[in-house]
Each structure stands twice: as C-alpha cells, then as structure tokens.
Amino acid sequence: MAFSSLFRKKTVQDILKQIEKNEADGHVSLGRYLTARDLTAFGIAAIVGAGIFSTIGKASSDGGPAVIFLFLFTALACSFAAFAYAEFASMVPVSGSAYTYSYVAFGELMAWIIGWALIMEYAIGNITVAISWSDYFTGLLESGGLYLPQWVQVDYLTASNGYRDATALMQGGKSYENLSDGLKASYTAWTTSPTIGSFHFVADLPALFIIILITALVYRGMKESRNASNMMVVVKLCIILLVISVGVFYVDTDNWTPFAPNGTSGVLKGVSAVFFAYIGFDAISTTAEECKDPQRDLPRGMMWAIIICTVLYIVVALVLTGMVNYTELNVGDPLAFVFHKLDLKWMSGIVAVSAVIAMASVLLVFQMGQPRIWMSMSRDGLLPKRFSRIHPKYKTPSYATVVTGFVVSIPALFLNLTMVTDLCSIGTLFAFVLVCAGVLVLQNKPDIPRGKFKTPYVNSKYVIPFMLAAGIYYAFNYNNKGTMDFLTNETQLNDATTIITSLNKEESKKVYDYLERIGAQKTTEESLDLENLLSQYQRDDAKYAAVVAGLPIDNALKYESGLSLFKHKIPMWIFLIALVGLTFWSFAENLSLIPLLGLVSCLYMMAELSVWNWIYFTAWLLIGLTIYFGFSRNNSKLNLKEA
C-alpha cells in the first residue's frame, strides 16, 4: 500500500452524501432535537463546572485579583479555536468534531490520530470530573453527618503516593496531625483498606456510581439528556448569580491591592488549571447531526457559551478576591470556603449542593461527546461496525455509549486526579491546534464548499512577525535573567518539600543535625520537622540557596541540572521552533490571523504542561497507531473504495 494512502482525504461532498446513505447501510439516523439555545446550554454545562467551583481558588491564590487576565487570555485562546470549530461545523455539519475536520484537511492518518487523541479529552476528561464530583459529594455527605470509609472515596494512585509521601515526612519528624488534609486522607485510606496479600483495595466508588448514572441517561436519549442538561444549567446559573449577589456586599476593595502581587509569572502559573475550566465547548460540535439547523446554530452556541462563561468567571474571581485576601484561596472549594469564613454557613451549604449538580452536568456533556466520535470513526471503517450501531428506539449510539461507560468508570476507580487532568488538557489542546491548522490549510482552496459561517479574514503577514519581534525584545530587556537561565540551562534549586521527601532515614538525621547547628528556628511544637525547618529559609532566595548548598547530602538531591533539568524545557523548545516556522508560513501564504493566533496560543499552553504529559501523550498515540496499522488502515472505507 502506497505511502500516499496514509493521507487520503474525504471530501466535504462525500461526507454530506454519506449522511444520506447511512440508513441504507443499516445506520438509523439520529434524532434532531437541538436548537441554538440547547447548544449554548450544553456549552455552559461543560464549561461551568470544576473551574468555577474548584480551580478558580488555586489560580486566584497564585495570581491575586489579576487572575481575571488569565481568564481573559484563556477565553481568547478558546475563542480563536472556537472560530475554527465553528467554520468547520458550518462546512461539515456531521458528528465527529475535530476528527471529521482533520479527515477533510489532512487525511486519514491525521484524522485517526486526532480521533484517538479526543479520547483523552472526553473519556479521560470525564474521569477527572468524576473524581472531582466524588470529592464534592462525599464532602456533602459528611456535612450531613454521613461518613464513608476513606478507602472508598480515594483513588488507588493518590492513596499509594500519599502514603509514601506522608511516611517520608513523618520519618523527617512531622506528626500525623501536622500533615496536610490530602496526605492524611491518603494515609488513612491506605492503612485502613482491606488487603489481599500485598494489594490494597482502594477505589473511588462514588465516582463509579455517578458515571453509571450519567451513562444510563446518555444511553436513554438525546431529548432526555438535553432536558436534564438544561435543568442543571438553570440551577447552577441561579446559584452562581446568588453567590455574586450576596458576595458583592462583602467585598472589601482593600483586598484588591496589590492587584497582581506575583506579577505576570504568578498570573500565568495557573494556565493549565484555568484552561481545563474552559474545555468542553467543542463537545457541542459532536451533536451536529442532532441539531435542527447545524450550520446556523453550532457557531452561535459555541460563541455564546464562551462569552457567558467568561463573564461569569471574571465576576466570580473579582468577588472572591474581594471577599477575602487572595492568599487564603488555595483550597479545593473556594466558594464554600469564603462564605463559611464569613459565617454565612447557609450559603456554604447551597454552594456545596450546586457544585454536585454542576459536576454532573459536565459529566453529561463529555459522556455524550465520546460515543459520537467513535460512531463517526466506525462509519469510516476505522473502528468495528458495532460502534456506529444506533438504538432503534432511543436514537443514540448505544454500543459506543456503553463502551464509553466502561472506559471511564474503571480508570476512575484507580487513577490520580492530577495525572488525568493534565492528560485531558494536552489531548484537548492538540485537537484545538489541528482544527486551527486545518482552517489555515483549507483557506485558499477554491473547491471546498463553504457553510454559512466563515472566520473573519485578517492578514497575518506582518502581524505575526511583529509579535515575535516584540516578544524577543520583552524577553531580553524585561526578563533577561529568566531568559538566559532558560537558554543556558542554569542549575535550579529543589524546593524544601522535594528535598525532604527524597531523603532516607540516615540522610534525614544528617540534615536535621546540620539545620540545628546553623540555628534553624522551630516553627512547630515538634522537636523534629525537617520540612518546616528548611521551608522557613525559602522566603529569602539568597539565604535558601546558601543553606541548601551546605546540606550534607548528595547534590543530585539538592539541585536539578543537566539533562534532568533540560528535559522539562523540551516542550517550550518545541513551541519556539514551531513559532518560527509558523511566522515564515504566515509571511509566505498570507494566513488568516484568527485561526493562526488560536494555533499559537494553544500550542503555547501545551508547552506549559510538563514533559511527562508529552511523554504519556506520545505513548498513547503510539498505542493508537498500532491499532491503526493493525486494523483501521485495511478496513477503512476509503481503502475498500480504492481496492
């Protein structure tokens, strides 16, 4: 089979004809129930979830009130991508989202890669949301006096890693009572769990429960899913408006000073967390075949969802940082926390209930999107035919929905929240990058049928080179030390927690003797707490560097340098090299500015994720390519057509 066959493309005309042939092939058509209002509600359901009830606290703690600029930046990046999605959705109004769009723009191999990557957005994203929902739900039960065993409300990896870190800290002198709440929960879950030999049975059962419930609802039908989503959106919007209306009377404008306490770096520190708050708007595009007028309503639904949610995020961030000092917001439930702190416990309870509802609505939209991606891939022959089976009564992709339920529920019992959050983000950003690139590839092709919506054209020929030059000027004139450290791979100090948790018992004793000898002040009642003893020096960078330099342990435990440090910079180097290439491309081809800015901003956010996420993502893609070359390439309908 020729190499060129890897890039064989579907035409828009063929895709539209395929819809008419689906019934003849045994594919019962999906029910068309959705309007622009329903699509906007689905977008709000997907976006207003963990972001506004959880990650907004950590982001506000890092950036202060200026975190609103991070929400604006992320919303702008998502809006650029939304323009590209909307143009494709108007051009190719079928289920499949970025997978189908890539089939048209880049060909079959890239379509398979993006379809496989989208599993990381929808399926793995739902694992993330299910774990968060479980945390809120168990907290709500505990507020009512019902306590579940710790080992049924923590995932296996969190418990295992938490037990290891807690043991290391207690070995360094910290008592159990002085551990963080998260480490206490993990330690308790691990030590109290049933065991079979050396295996500890630790599983997040509430997460399993909600996934089964949502999967059953999605299986039951689009009309039922739409009604449930609309109801949950109304409830949580009312709660958020209530939070704003009550909270605004407790705002102290002194808390907004300083507005950006940690500067630009503090604001940008929460990029991945805030971006995760926005993902899901693209799930709207998977419902194209269930829209009454997809070419008109899909673009409207996406744009309105992003606009409404951005306004809500910014107002809530301003109210939160006005009610309490930003330094107090590094908690998992910031909305409930601020009202509890101000002794408005009735509001705190309302927020807890609304958080459970909000998480459930996010689950609903994501669990609805994944089966429709698989259905589209199955129609093209890249997955077995059963994945495109439509239930004759409920008009939903029944088999694919059930498989999605299993794919989400089993890992949710065992996987770590941070790991799946980052994997979800990198899979989503990769999809956004390819969709934006697809619009750029197709922009000058005259034989492509255009839909009702087209991204406004602004020539990027001189804009992108100017922005690149301005960025270089800023880096060397206003952030010279950080830029030179990056370019020269300057050795970096490890923080106190990293150092202490990497020590064995003998090394811990040596470090304690050294700190006692130099006069470290005990910050707790404990006679031996290495983390606190060493952390007190971190407030002064120069003094901390001097203390760490004198620690009687191996330098590999104190510093990160060489290849160990450089590997973390690889994603940013990839971004910088790609940025230079895109600058030349934009100058040569007069590329459209909006999709190009979407591509650049999403690629930048990918570069902000750790190298381990890139490695895990690459491993995931290699598994997908194995399936493609083993099954999908030969069974592709385009391959059968060529044969």
Side-chain angles (χ1 to χ4, degrees), residues 100-181:
T100 302
Y101 310 154
S102 296
Y103 220 144
V104 172
F106 302 110
E108 184 172 283
L109 178 62
M110 195 58 71
W112 169 267
I113 289 174
I114 197 63
W116 188 250
L118 282 172
I119 298 174
M120 302 192 83
E121 176 179 358
Y122 295 116
I124 296 184
N126 244 3
I127 295 171
T128 307
V129 180
I131 294 171
S132 296
W133 184 92
S134 173
D135 292 341
Y136 278 105
F137 181 69
T138 52
L140 188 61
L141 291 181
E142 288 175 5
S143 67
L146 181 59
Y147 294 86
L148 298 178
Q150 200 65 50
W151 53 270
V152 305
Q153 50 180 304
V154 178
D155 63 272
Y156 185 90
L157 279 181
T158 296
S160 175
N161 294 337
Y163 172 78
R164 183 195 64 221
D165 290 345
T167 302
L169 289 172
M170 288 192 289
Q171 176 182 281
K174 188 182 285 291
S175 69
Y176 174 81
E177 289 72 21
N178 282 335
L179 293 174
S180 68
D181 290 341

Coordinates of all heavy atoms in Angstrom, one line a residue, residues 100-181:
T100 N -13.5 14.5 12.2 CA -14.0 14.6 10.8 C -13.3 15.8 10.1 O -13.0 15.7 8.9 CB -15.5 14.9 10.8 OG1 -16.2 13.8 11.5 CG2 -16.1 15.0 9.4
Y101 N -13.1 16.9 10.8 CA -12.5 18.1 10.2 C -11.1 17.8 9.7 O -10.6 18.2 8.7 CB -12.4 19.3 11.2 CG -13.8 19.6 11.8 CD1 -13.8 20.2 13.1 CD2 -15.0 19.2 11.2 CE1 -15.0 20.5 13.7 CE2 -16.2 19.5 11.9 CZ -16.2 20.1 13.1 OH -17.4 20.4 13.7
S102 N -10.3 17.0 10.5 CA -9.0 16.6 10.2 C -9.0 15.7 9.0 O -8.0 15.7 8.2 CB -8.3 15.9 11.4 OG -8.1 16.8 12.4
Y103 N -10.0 14.8 8.8 CA -10.1 13.9 7.7 C -10.2 14.7 6.4 O -9.6 14.3 5.4 CB -11.3 13.0 7.8 CG -11.2 11.6 7.4 CD1 -11.8 10.6 8.1 CD2 -10.4 11.2 6.3 CE1 -11.7 9.2 7.8 CE2 -10.2 9.9 6.0 CZ -10.8 8.9 6.7 OH -10.7 7.6 6.3
V104 N -10.9 15.8 6.4 CA -11.0 16.7 5.3 C -9.7 17.5 5.0 O -9.3 17.6 3.8 CB -12.2 17.7 5.5 CG1 -12.2 18.7 4.4 CG2 -13.5 16.9 5.6
A105 N -9.1 18.0 6.1 CA -8.0 18.9 5.9 C -6.6 18.2 5.7 O -5.8 18.6 4.9 CB -7.9 19.8 7.1
F106 N -6.4 17.1 6.4 CA -5.1 16.5 6.5 C -5.0 15.0 5.9 O -4.0 14.6 5.6 CB -4.5 16.5 7.9 CG -4.4 17.8 8.5 CD1 -5.3 18.2 9.6 CD2 -3.5 18.8 8.1 CE1 -5.2 19.5 10.1 CE2 -3.4 20.0 8.6 CZ -4.3 20.4 9.6
G107 N -6.1 14.3 6.0 CA -6.1 13.0 5.5 C -6.3 12.0 6.6 O -6.5 12.3 7.8
E108 N -6.3 10.7 6.3 CA -6.8 9.6 7.2 C -5.9 9.4 8.4 O -6.4 9.3 9.5 CB -6.9 8.3 6.4 CG -7.5 7.2 7.2 CD -7.7 6.0 6.3 OE1 -8.7 6.0 5.6 OE2 -6.9 5.0 6.3
L109 N -4.6 9.4 8.2 CA -3.7 9.1 9.3 C -3.9 10.2 10.4 O -4.0 9.9 11.6 CB -2.3 9.1 8.9 CG -1.2 8.8 10.0 CD1 -1.5 7.5 10.7 CD2 0.2 8.9 9.4
M110 N -3.9 11.5 10.0 CA -4.0 12.5 11.0 C -5.4 12.5 11.6 O -5.6 12.8 12.8 CB -3.8 13.9 10.3 CG -3.6 15.0 11.3 SD -2.2 14.7 12.4 CE -0.8 14.9 11.3
A111 N -6.4 12.1 10.8 CA -7.8 12.0 11.4 C -7.8 10.9 12.5 O -8.4 11.1 13.5 CB -8.8 11.7 10.3
W112 N -7.2 9.8 12.2 CA -7.1 8.7 13.2 C -6.4 9.3 14.5 O -6.9 9.0 15.6 CB -6.4 7.5 12.7 CG -6.1 6.5 13.8 CD1 -4.9 6.5 14.5 CD2 -7.0 5.6 14.4 NE1 -5.1 5.5 15.5 CE2 -6.3 4.9 15.4 CE3 -8.3 5.2 14.1 CZ2 -6.9 4.0 16.2 CZ3 -8.9 4.2 14.9 CH2 -8.2 3.6 15.9
I113 N -5.3 9.9 14.3 CA -4.5 10.4 15.4 C -5.4 11.4 16.3 O -5.4 11.3 17.5 CB -3.2 11.2 15.0 CG1 -2.2 10.1 14.4 CG2 -2.6 12.0 16.1 CD1 -1.0 10.7 13.8
I114 N -6.1 12.3 15.6 CA -6.9 13.2 16.4 C -8.1 12.5 17.0 O -8.5 12.9 18.1 CB -7.4 14.4 15.5 CG1 -7.8 15.6 16.4 CG2 -8.5 14.1 14.5 CD1 -6.7 16.1 17.3
G115 N -8.7 11.6 16.3 CA -9.8 10.8 16.9 C -9.3 10.1 18.2 O -10.0 10.0 19.2
W116 N -8.1 9.5 18.1 CA -7.6 8.8 19.2 C -7.2 9.8 20.4 O -7.4 9.5 21.5 CB -6.3 8.0 18.8 CG -5.7 7.1 19.8 CD1 -4.5 7.3 20.4 CD2 -6.3 5.9 20.2 NE1 -4.3 6.2 21.3 CE2 -5.3 5.3 21.2 CE3 -7.4 5.1 19.9 CZ2 -5.6 4.1 21.8 CZ3 -7.6 3.9 20.6 CH2 -6.7 3.4 21.5
A117 N -6.7 11.0 20.0 CA -6.4 12.0 21.0 C -7.7 12.5 21.7 O -7.6 12.8 22.9 CB -5.6 13.1 20.3
L118 N -8.8 12.5 20.9 CA -10.0 13.1 21.5 C -10.5 12.2 22.7 O -11.3 12.6 23.5 CB -11.1 13.2 20.5 CG -11.0 14.5 19.6 CD1 -12.0 14.4 18.4 CD2 -11.1 15.7 20.4
I119 N -10.1 10.9 22.7 CA -10.5 10.1 23.8 C -9.9 10.7 25.1 O -10.5 10.5 26.2 CB -9.9 8.6 23.6 CG1 -10.6 8.0 22.3 CG2 -10.2 7.7 24.8 CD1 -10.0 6.6 22.0
M120 N -8.7 11.3 25.0 CA -8.1 11.9 26.1 C -8.9 13.2 26.6 O -8.8 13.5 27.8 CB -6.7 12.3 25.8 CG -5.8 11.2 25.4 SD -4.1 11.6 25.4 CE -3.7 11.3 27.1
E121 N -9.6 13.8 25.7 CA -10.4 14.9 26.1 C -11.7 14.5 26.8 O -12.1 14.8 27.9 CB -10.8 15.8 25.0 CG -11.7 17.0 25.4 CD -12.0 17.9 24.2 OE1 -11.5 17.8 23.1 OE2 -12.8 18.9 24.5
Y122 N -12.5 13.6 26.0 CA -13.8 13.3 26.5 C -13.8 12.2 27.6 O -14.3 12.3 28.7 CB -14.7 12.8 25.3 CG -14.9 13.9 24.3 CD1 -14.4 13.9 23.0 CD2 -15.6 15.1 24.7 CE1 -14.7 15.0 22.2 CE2 -15.8 16.1 23.9 CZ -15.4 16.1 22.6 OH -15.6 17.1 21.7
A123 N -13.2 11.0 27.2 CA -13.2 9.9 28.2 C -12.3 10.2 29.4 O -12.8 10.1 30.6 CB -12.7 8.6 27.5
I124 N -11.1 10.6 29.2 CA -10.2 10.9 30.3 C -10.6 12.2 31.1 O -10.5 12.3 32.3 CB -8.7 11.0 29.9 CG1 -8.3 9.6 29.3 CG2 -7.8 11.5 31.0 CD1 -6.9 9.5 28.9
G125 N -11.2 13.1 30.3 CA -11.7 14.3 30.9 C -12.9 14.0 31.9 O -13.0 14.6 33.0
N126 N -13.7 13.0 31.5 CA -14.8 12.6 32.4 C -14.3 11.9 33.6 O -14.9 11.9 34.7 CB -15.7 11.7 31.6 CG -17.1 12.4 31.5 OD1 -17.3 13.5 32.0 ND2 -18.1 11.7 30.9
I127 N -13.1 11.2 33.5 CA -12.5 10.6 34.7 C -12.2 11.6 35.7 O -12.5 11.5 36.9 CB -11.3 9.8 34.3 CG1 -11.6 8.6 33.4 CG2 -10.5 9.3 35.5 CD1 -10.4 7.9 32.8
T128 N -11.6 12.7 35.2 CA -11.2 13.9 36.0 C -12.4 14.4 36.7 O -12.4 14.7 38.0 CB -10.6 15.0 35.2 OG1 -9.5 14.4 34.4 CG2 -10.1 16.1 36.0
V129 N -13.5 14.7 36.0 CA -14.7 15.3 36.5 C -15.4 14.4 37.5 O -15.9 14.8 38.5 CB -15.7 15.7 35.4 CG1 -16.9 16.4 36.0 CG2 -15.0 16.7 34.5
A130 N -15.4 13.1 37.2 CA -16.0 12.1 38.1 C -15.3 12.1 39.5 O -15.9 12.0 40.5 CB -16.0 10.7 37.5
I131 N -13.9 12.1 39.4 CA -13.2 12.2 40.7 C -13.5 13.4 41.5 O -13.7 13.4 42.7 CB -11.7 12.1 40.4 CG1 -11.3 10.7 39.8 CG2 -10.9 12.3 41.7 CD1 -9.9 10.6 39.3
S132 N -13.6 14.6 40.8 CA -13.9 15.8 41.5 C -15.3 15.8 42.0 O -15.6 16.2 43.2 CB -13.8 17.0 40.5 OG -12.5 17.2 40.0
W133 N -16.3 15.2 41.2 CA -17.7 15.1 41.7 C -17.7 14.2 43.0 O -18.4 14.6 43.9 CB -18.5 14.4 40.6 CG -20.0 14.3 41.0 CD1 -21.0 15.2 40.7 CD2 -20.6 13.2 41.7 NE1 -22.1 14.8 41.3 CE2 -22.0 13.6 41.9 CE3 -20.1 12.1 42.3 CZ2 -22.9 12.8 42.5 CZ3 -21.0 11.2 43.0 CH2 -22.4 11.6 43.1
S134 N -16.9 13.2 43.0 CA -16.8 12.3 44.2 C -16.4 13.1 45.4 O -16.9 12.9 46.5 CB -15.9 11.1 43.9 OG -15.7 10.4 45.1
D135 N -15.4 13.9 45.2 CA -14.9 14.7 46.4 C -16.0 15.6 46.9 O -16.2 15.7 48.1 CB -13.7 15.6 45.9 CG -12.5 14.8 45.6 OD1 -12.4 13.6 46.1 OD2 -11.6 15.2 44.9
Y136 N -16.7 16.3 46.0 CA -17.8 17.2 46.5 C -18.9 16.4 47.1 O -19.5 16.8 48.1 CB -18.3 18.0 45.3 CG -17.5 19.2 44.9 CD1 -16.7 19.2 43.8 CD2 -17.5 20.4 45.7 CE1 -15.9 20.3 43.5 CE2 -16.8 21.5 45.4 CZ -16.0 21.4 44.3 OH -15.2 22.5 43.9
F137 N -19.3 15.3 46.5 CA -20.4 14.5 47.0 C -20.1 13.9 48.4 O -20.9 14.0 49.3 CB -20.7 13.4 46.0 CG -21.8 12.5 46.4 CD1 -23.1 13.0 46.4 CD2 -21.6 11.2 46.8 CE1 -24.2 12.2 46.8 CE2 -22.7 10.4 47.2 CZ -24.0 10.9 47.2
T138 N -18.9 13.4 48.6 CA -18.5 12.9 49.9 C -18.5 14.0 51.0 O -18.8 13.8 52.1 CB -17.2 12.1 49.9 OG1 -16.2 12.9 49.3 CG2 -17.4 10.8 49.1
G139 N -18.0 15.2 50.5 CA -18.0 16.3 51.5 C -19.4 16.7 51.9 O -19.6 17.1 53.0
L140 N -20.3 16.7 50.9 CA -21.7 17.0 51.2 C -22.3 16.0 52.2 O -23.0 16.4 53.1 CB -22.5 17.0 49.9 CG -23.9 17.6 49.9 CD1 -24.0 19.0 50.4 CD2 -24.6 17.4 48.6
L141 N -22.0 14.7 52.0 CA -22.5 13.7 52.9 C -22.0 13.9 54.3 O -22.7 13.8 55.3 CB -22.1 12.3 52.4 CG -22.7 11.7 51.1 CD1 -22.2 10.3 50.8 CD2 -24.3 11.7 51.2
E142 N -20.7 14.2 54.4 CA -20.1 14.4 55.7 C -20.7 15.6 56.4 O -20.8 15.6 57.6 CB -18.5 14.6 55.5 CG -17.8 13.3 55.2 CD -16.4 13.5 54.9 OE1 -15.9 14.7 55.1 OE2 -15.7 12.5 54.5
S143 N -21.0 16.7 55.6 CA -21.7 17.8 56.3 C -23.0 17.5 56.8 O -23.6 18.1 57.7 CB -21.8 19.0 55.3 OG -22.8 18.6 54.2
G144 N -23.6 16.4 56.3 CA -24.9 15.9 56.8 C -24.7 14.8 57.9 O -25.7 14.2 58.3
G145 N -23.5 14.5 58.2 CA -23.2 13.5 59.3 C -23.0 12.1 58.8 O -23.0 11.2 59.6
L146 N -23.0 11.9 57.5 CA -22.8 10.5 56.9 C -21.3 10.4 56.4 O -20.9 11.1 55.5 CB -23.7 10.3 55.8 CG -23.7 8.9 55.1 CD1 -23.9 7.8 56.1 CD2 -24.7 8.8 54.0
Y147 N -20.6 9.5 57.1 CA -19.1 9.4 56.7 C -18.9 8.0 56.1 O -19.2 7.0 56.6 CB -18.3 9.5 58.0 CG -18.3 10.8 58.6 CD1 -19.3 11.2 59.5 CD2 -17.4 11.8 58.3 CE1 -19.4 12.5 60.1 CE2 -17.4 13.1 58.9 CZ -18.4 13.4 59.8 OH -18.5 14.6 60.3
L148 N -18.3 8.1 54.9 CA -18.0 6.8 54.2 C -16.5 6.5 54.5 O -15.7 7.4 54.9 CB -18.0 7.0 52.6 CG -19.4 7.4 52.0 CD1 -19.3 7.6 50.5 CD2 -20.4 6.3 52.3
P149 N -16.2 5.2 54.5 CA -14.8 4.8 54.8 C -13.8 5.5 53.8 O -14.2 5.7 52.6 CB -14.8 3.3 54.6 CG -16.2 2.9 54.7 CD -17.0 4.0 54.3
Q150 N -12.7 5.9 54.3 CA -11.8 6.7 53.4 C -11.3 5.9 52.2 O -11.1 6.5 51.1 CB -10.5 7.1 54.3 CG -9.8 8.3 53.7 CD -10.5 9.6 53.7 OE1 -11.1 9.9 54.7 NE2 -10.6 10.3 52.6
W151 N -11.2 4.6 52.3 CA -10.7 3.8 51.2 C -11.7 3.6 50.1 O -11.3 3.1 49.0 CB -10.2 2.5 51.7 CG -11.2 1.6 52.5 CD1 -11.3 1.7 53.8 CD2 -12.1 0.7 52.0 NE1 -12.3 0.8 54.2 CE2 -12.8 0.2 53.1 CE3 -12.4 0.2 50.7 CZ2 -13.8 -0.8 53.0 CZ3 -13.4 -0.7 50.6 CH2 -14.1 -1.2 51.7
V152 N -13.0 4.1 50.2 CA -13.9 4.0 49.1 C -14.1 5.4 48.5 O -14.9 5.5 47.6 CB -15.3 3.4 49.5 CG1 -15.2 2.1 50.2 CG2 -16.0 4.4 50.5
Q153 N -13.4 6.4 48.9 CA -13.5 7.7 48.3 C -12.2 8.3 47.9 O -12.2 9.5 47.5 CB -14.2 8.7 49.4 CG -13.6 8.7 50.7 CD -14.3 9.6 51.7 OE1 -14.4 10.8 51.4 NE2 -14.8 9.2 52.8
V154 N -11.2 7.5 47.8 CA -9.9 8.0 47.3 C -9.4 7.0 46.2 O -9.6 5.8 46.4 CB -8.8 8.0 48.4 CG1 -7.4 8.4 47.8 CG2 -9.2 9.0 49.5
D155 N -8.8 7.5 45.1 CA -8.3 6.5 44.1 C -7.0 5.9 44.5 O -6.3 6.4 45.4 CB -8.1 7.3 42.7 CG -7.1 8.4 42.9 OD1 -7.4 9.5 43.2 OD2 -5.9 8.0 42.6
Y156 N -6.7 4.8 43.9 CA -5.6 3.9 44.3 C -4.2 4.7 44.2 O -3.5 4.7 45.2 CB -5.5 2.7 43.4 CG -4.4 1.7 43.8 CD1 -4.7 0.7 44.7 CD2 -3.1 1.8 43.3 CE1 -3.8 -0.2 45.1 CE2 -2.2 0.9 43.7 CZ -2.5 -0.1 44.6 OH -1.5 -1.0 45.0
L157 N -4.0 5.4 43.1 CA -2.7 6.1 43.0 C -2.5 7.2 44.0 O -1.4 7.4 44.6 CB -2.6 6.6 41.6 CG -2.1 5.7 40.5 CD1 -2.0 6.4 39.1 CD2 -0.8 5.0 40.8
T158 N -3.6 8.0 44.2 CA -3.5 9.0 45.2 C -3.2 8.5 46.6 O -2.4 9.0 47.3 CB -4.8 9.8 45.3 OG1 -5.0 10.5 44.0 CG2 -4.8 10.9 46.4
A159 N -3.9 7.4 47.0 CA -3.6 6.8 48.3 C -2.2 6.2 48.4 O -1.5 6.4 49.4 CB -4.6 5.7 48.5
S160 N -1.7 5.5 47.3 CA -0.4 5.0 47.3 C 0.7 6.0 47.4 O 1.6 6.0 48.3 CB -0.2 4.1 46.1 OG 1.1 3.6 46.0
N161 N 0.6 7.0 46.6 CA 1.6 8.1 46.6 C 1.5 8.9 47.8 O 2.5 9.4 48.4 CB 1.4 9.0 45.3 CG 1.7 8.3 44.0 OD1 2.4 7.3 44.0 ND2 1.1 8.8 43.0
G162 N 0.3 9.2 48.3 CA 0.1 10.0 49.5 C 0.7 9.3 50.7 O 1.3 9.9 51.6
Y163 N 0.5 7.9 50.8 CA 1.0 7.1 51.9 C 2.5 7.2 51.9 O 3.2 7.4 53.0 CB 0.6 5.7 51.8 CG 1.2 4.8 52.8 CD1 0.8 4.7 54.1 CD2 2.3 3.9 52.4 CE1 1.4 3.9 55.0 CE2 2.9 3.1 53.3 CZ 2.5 3.1 54.6 OH 3.1 2.2 55.5
R164 N 3.1 7.1 50.7 CA 4.6 7.2 50.6 C 5.1 8.5 51.1 O 6.1 8.6 51.8 CB 5.0 6.9 49.1 CG 6.5 6.9 48.9 CD 6.9 7.0 47.4 NE 6.4 8.3 46.9 CZ 5.9 8.5 45.8 NH1 5.6 7.5 45.0 NH2 5.5 9.7 45.4
D165 N 4.5 9.6 50.6 CA 5.0 11.0 51.0 C 4.7 11.3 52.5 O 5.6 11.9 53.1 CB 4.3 12.1 50.1 CG 4.7 12.0 48.7 OD1 5.7 11.4 48.4 OD2 4.0 12.6 47.8
A166 N 3.6 10.8 53.0 CA 3.3 11.0 54.4 C 4.3 10.3 55.3 O 4.8 10.8 56.3 CB 1.9 10.5 54.7
T167 N 4.6 9.0 54.9 CA 5.6 8.3 55.6 C 7.0 8.9 55.6 O 7.6 9.0 56.7 CB 5.7 6.8 55.0 OG1 4.4 6.2 55.0 CG2 6.7 6.0 55.8
A168 N 7.4 9.5 54.5 CA 8.6 10.2 54.4 C 8.7 11.4 55.3 O 9.7 11.7 55.9 CB 8.9 10.6 52.9
L169 N 7.6 12.2 55.3 CA 7.5 13.4 56.1 C 7.5 13.0 57.6 O 8.1 13.7 58.4 CB 6.3 14.2 55.7 CG 6.3 14.9 54.4 CD1 5.0 15.5 54.0 CD2 7.4 16.0 54.3
M170 N 6.8 12.0 58.0 CA 6.7 11.6 59.4 C 8.1 11.0 59.8 O 8.5 11.2 60.9 CB 5.6 10.6 59.6 CG 4.2 11.2 59.6 SD 2.9 10.1 60.2 CE 2.8 8.9 58.9
Q171 N 8.8 10.4 58.8 CA 10.1 9.9 59.1 C 11.1 11.1 59.4 O 12.0 11.1 60.1 CB 10.6 9.1 57.9 CG 12.1 8.7 58.0 CD 12.5 7.9 56.7 OE1 12.1 6.8 56.5 NE2 13.2 8.6 55.9
G172 N 10.7 12.3 58.7 CA 11.5 13.5 58.9 C 11.1 14.3 60.1 O 11.5 15.4 60.3
G173 N 10.1 13.7 60.9 CA 9.8 14.4 62.2 C 8.4 15.0 62.2 O 7.9 15.4 63.3
K174 N 7.7 15.1 61.1 CA 6.4 15.7 61.1 C 5.4 14.7 61.7 O 5.4 13.5 61.3 CB 5.9 16.1 59.7 CG 4.6 16.9 59.6 CD 4.3 17.2 58.2 CE 5.1 18.3 57.6 NZ 4.9 19.6 58.2
S175 N 4.5 15.2 62.6 CA 3.5 14.3 63.1 C 2.3 14.2 62.2 O 2.1 15.0 61.3 CB 3.0 14.8 64.5 OG 2.2 16.0 64.3
Y176 N 1.5 13.1 62.4 CA 0.3 12.9 61.5 C -0.6 14.1 61.6 O -1.2 14.5 60.6 CB -0.4 11.7 62.0 CG -1.7 11.4 61.3 CD1 -1.8 10.8 60.1 CD2 -2.9 11.8 61.9 CE1 -3.0 10.6 59.4 CE2 -4.2 11.6 61.3 CZ -4.2 11.0 60.0 OH -5.4 10.8 59.4
E177 N -0.8 14.7 62.8 CA -1.7 15.9 62.9 C -1.3 17.1 62.1 O -2.1 17.9 61.7 CB -1.8 16.3 64.4 CG -2.5 15.3 65.3 CD -1.7 14.0 65.5 OE1 -0.5 14.1 65.4 OE2 -2.3 13.0 65.9
N178 N 0.0 17.2 61.8 CA 0.5 18.3 61.0 C 0.6 18.1 59.5 O 1.1 18.9 58.8 CB 1.9 18.8 61.6 CG 1.8 19.6 62.8 OD1 0.7 20.2 63.1 ND2 2.8 19.6 63.7
L179 N 0.2 16.9 59.1 CA 0.2 16.6 57.7 C -1.0 17.4 57.0 O -1.9 17.8 57.7 CB 0.0 15.1 57.4 CG 1.1 14.2 57.8 CD1 0.6 12.7 57.6 CD2 2.4 14.4 57.0
S180 N -0.9 17.6 55.7 CA -2.0 18.3 55.0 C -3.2 17.4 55.0 O -3.1 16.1 55.2 CB -1.6 18.6 53.6 OG -1.4 17.4 52.8
D181 N -4.4 17.9 54.8 CA -5.6 17.1 54.8 C -5.6 16.1 53.7 O -6.0 14.9 53.9 CB -6.8 18.0 54.6 CG -7.1 18.9 55.8 OD1 -6.6 18.6 56.9 OD2 -7.8 19.9 55.6

